[in-house]
Amino acid sequence: MIDESKIPTIFKAFCDENRIEILKQLITGEKCACVLLENLHISQPTLSHHMKILCSSGIVVMRKEQKWAHYSISEEGIAYAMEYLQSLMTVKSLGKDKPCCDK
C-alpha cells in the first residue's frame, strides 16, 4: 500500500543534479562518503545535506563502520518509488464515460 505522505520526499530526492550524480555512483555498489566526495565538486557539508535527503526518502540507506558512513541504493526504496509511478500510469475507468461538465 502506498503512503501518499512519503511521495514528496521520494521525488525531492530525484530533483537535484548532485543527488542524481550520487545515485549514478551508487548504482555500482556501496560507496564510502569519502569516495562520493572525491567524485563530486561539492563540500562535505553539502554532501551531508544531499545524503540526508536521499536517506530520508528511503532511496538510499546508510551503514556506519567506525567513523565512516557507507551508502547504497535501497532496492526496497526504489521498488516503492516505481510502484507509485506505476500506479499513476494505471488507467482508472471510474467516471470515464461521464462528461466533465454539463453543456
Side-chain angles (χ1 to χ4, degrees):
M1 174 159 251
I2 295 173
D3 179 354
E4 298 285 330
S5 68
K6 293 182 180 180
I7 301 308
T9 306
I10 291 170
F11 286 97
K12 180 178 181 179
F14 293 115
C15 63
D16 181 271
E17 290 178 30
N18 287 313
R19 290 192 287 274
I20 296 300
E21 185 58 39
I22 290 166
L23 290 170
K24 286 169 53 179
Q25 289 187 46
L26 294 177
I27 286 172
T28 59
E30 183 180 78
K31 302 280 185 300
C32 177
C34 60
V35 172
L36 293 171
L37 199 54
E38 285 176 7
N39 297 318
L40 298 167
H41 301 288
I42 59 176
S43 67
Q44 189 280 323
T46 301
L47 176 64
S48 293
H49 169 74
H50 289 306
M51 298 318 295
K52 180 180 178 183
I53 291 169
L54 287 166
C55 289
S56 294
S57 73
I59 300 298
V60 170
V61 292
M62 189 256 303
R63 175 181 68 81
K64 289 288 266 186
E65 186 175 304
Q66 298 171 352
K67 66 177 185 172
W68 303 108
H70 297 265
Y71 297 96
S72 59
I73 292 178
S74 166
E75 290 182 27
E76 185 177 287
I78 292 293
Y80 191 81
M82 289 174 57
E83 178 185 354
Y84 182 72
L85 284 173
Q86 187 64 42
S87 76
L88 292 176
M89 295 173 54
T90 304
V91 176
K92 307 268 193 267
S93 62
L94 297 175
K96 183 179 177 183
D97 298 328
K98 295 180 183 178
C100 65
C101 57
D102 295 326
K103 290 186 179 187

